[in-house]
Amino acid sequence: MSKIGDLWWVVAVVGLLVEDAWGITDARLVQGTNVNLGEALQFLREYDSEASRICHRVSSARWTYSTNMTDFNKRKMIEEQTLQAKFNKLSWKRTMTFDWTRLPDQMVRRQLKFLITNSRASLTDEKYNEIYHLISEMKDIYSHIRICPFNSQESLFCDLELEPDVVRIVGNSRNHMELAHVWREWHDKVGPPMKNKFMRYVQIANQAARMNGFLDAGEEMRYVYEEQNFEIEIAQTWASLQPLYRELFTYVRRKLLQFYGPFVVRPEGPLPAHLLGNVWAQDWSKIVDLVAPYPEFKTIDVTDEMLRQGFTPLRMFQMAEEFYTSLGLKPMPPEFWRFSMFEKPNDRKVQCTASAWDFCNQIDYRIKQCTEVNMDDLISTHHEMAHIQYYLHYSEQPYLYRDGANPGFHEGVSNAISLSVFNPVHLHRVGLFNENTDSYETNINFLMLMALKKVAFAPFAYLVDAWRYEIFQNGVQNMNAVWWELRLRYQGLIPPIPRTENHFDAAAKRHIPADIPYMKYYVALLLEFQIHSSMCFASGHVGPLHNCDIYRSREAGRVLSDLLKVGKARHWKEVIKMLTRGQSDRLSAEAMLQYFQPLMLWLKVQNRNETILVCNKQQNCV
Ligand SMILES: *[C@@H]1O[C@H](CO)[C@@H](O)[C@H](O)[C@H]1NC(C)=O
Ligand SMILES: *[C@@H]1O[C@H](CO)[C@@H](O)[C@H](O)[C@H]1NC(C)=O
Ligand SMILES: *[C@@H]1O[C@H](CO)[C@@H](O)[C@H](O)[C@H]1NC(C)=O
Ligand SMILES: [Zn+2]
């Protein structure tokens, strides 16, 4: 860091207590002395055009690499990213000259606040590079883990990768010995090699946060939600979801007990984490065959019908576009159709994860997806295109506002759309599903499948960052024990084999080593149902929420576009207030509970002979 950089600590002042409309105190954050509004406006104008230009270069380079993975393209991408990191650091330093909480313009304050919340920019170059390298080393370790198959005696065959191999085995195998083996292999190989690196990472991240006036890096992670009581508010939403989760858990436990027997599943205890069809036990839909309420009624799948009708990837994208235009939203721009990657090319290596891209120049928007003709990819096509709708709607906003209202909004919106699309009523309307959608059994089967994806995900989505907040606050001693305490308390899960502090099981989830926040997925889950419910109300839907399809509703489209065009220009509580027609400004589990209400009633009947409590020690775990 330069000499000028070091001065900012000297000019740090603890100013007047400044509370914005939502009661957030920013005053203890470190800041400078300049209160000249003209200079701040000038700085933000320059920032806006330069940041957009650099963002365009970085996303172009990332696109080139992701769709053509050569060493050359990777080098180019890293060069651009390095330039962007330098620019961010410089912008942070310039922002630090302003006493932004005292500038008399709300929009200026808001933008400067977003710029300042990047505490790692305050690290010395040496430490900044160190934490950057720690993270990329941990990501590297994660992506290079290979595990041995169940039957192999020789390490020669230890070449199973997380994707697709481990994910596939955990999803499809019904042999608990094999599942335990794979669980052990993955967790034992991924955690220990990065444990020390992670501990050092925690130390540096905390230093950076504290230098900027935060208590620790966890408080900084929560700060982006601009809500002092954020932790309390989301804890309340979890408390209201918990009864539904308990019922689901209890029912699934009985089914697993029936299948695996009492030596594997304890009738009244927590569940071992390896039997739920997912490496992290965060999505249980792969074991739907073991738990389907009415197995004789088929679960909805329109893949065969799509094939019969001769669908192509292009037609799937056209169909998704028509969904949005039917709401009165925007068609995809010409550049989208010209430059997107709809199919996996066979002349080069590409990253196949579906993603939606904003090239930051208000012209170029693309989707990259290795589309195959099946139902999952049809849903995914609509999901990704919702991200593009968001980009298009906030494209006129300044650079710093071109984002979701909080980190959960982008996924929340896209998943809310998916609730209308992966929906028997909708698939019937678009001519893909012609069976009777009205029977009670089909509806309960459908809701069970959704619950295995969404309700099962809630406690996991919540606890990943609950763990990180605790580690940043209380330190890394016992961090594996803390991980399992939270897994037990929220998910009701225990490890299938004993664990010690030599293990580092949180690292089994990529977002931990990769330094990617996770609470946004929990927030997105709540928002998904809040947004769905509001759009359904606007469309005049009557009846159960899971049968609501907003297709062709201009009124629902208006609710959606009003939300999208705000971007991040306003506090997300104002956006929720708008969404709920002034009724509430809170994140809430109510809409989600309403969606699953018919299943909840069904589960209660199923569980009436069961002990719902599943804890061993504290009696308050699940
Ligand atoms: C992939 O990138 C390389 C540069 O590393 C380039 O020479 C090649 O033409 C690219 N292939 C395609 C199909 O764009
Ligand atoms: C191990 O299992 C794999 C499939 O999971 C099979 O292809 C392979 O032949 C088996 N090897 C042995 C030694 O049984
Ligand atoms: C609960 O117990 C009663 C009486 O023992 C039995 O008749 C009923 O089938 C049980 N219900 C379920 C869902 O197992
Ligand atoms: Zn998404």
Side-chain angles (χ1 to χ4, degrees), residues 338-356:
R338 267 182 64 199
F339 298 121
S340 284
M341 188 191 96
F342 296 147
E343 289 180 71
K344 183 172 179 172
N346 44 28
D347 60 345
R348 57 192 193 268
K349 205 171 157 224
V350 300
Q351 259 168 10
C352 266
T353 324
S355 50

Side-chain angles (χ1 to χ4, degrees), residues 254 605-610:
R254 187 169 77 252
V605 174
Q606 302 304 309
N607 292 338
R608 66 180 178 265
N609 298 345
E610 301 275 332

Side-chain angles (χ1 to χ4, degrees), residues 465-494:
D465 276 353
W467 177 81
R468 226 172 341 202
Y469 299 161
E470 191 160 337
I471 298 309
F472 281 130
Q473 190 183 334
N474 297 334
V476 294
Q477 68 285 4
N478 302 326
M479 64 180 184
N480 210 40
V482 172
W483 174 251
W484 284 105
E485 256 170 58
L486 297 179
R487 295 269 273 172
L488 179 61
R489 188 189 316 152
Y490 292 104
Q491 289 185 289
L493 300 182
I494 49 171

Side-chain angles (χ1 to χ4, degrees), residues 413-448:
V413 163
S414 290
N415 285 336
I417 296 297
S418 306
L419 290 180
S420 274
V421 179
F422 180 52
N423 175 322
V425 175
H426 179 73
L427 295 170
H428 181 76
R429 286 171 84 186
V430 296
L432 284 171
F433 184 65
N434 293 316
E435 286 158 54
N436 179 9
T437 59
D438 261 358
S439 83
Y440 175 74
E441 291 82 357
T442 325
N443 276 283
I444 293 297
N445 272 354
F446 174 77
L447 280 174
M448 177 59 76

Side-chain angles (χ1 to χ4, degrees), residues 68 70 72-73 347-348:
N68 180 10
T70 64
F72 177 79
N73 290 341
D347 60 345
R348 57 192 193 268

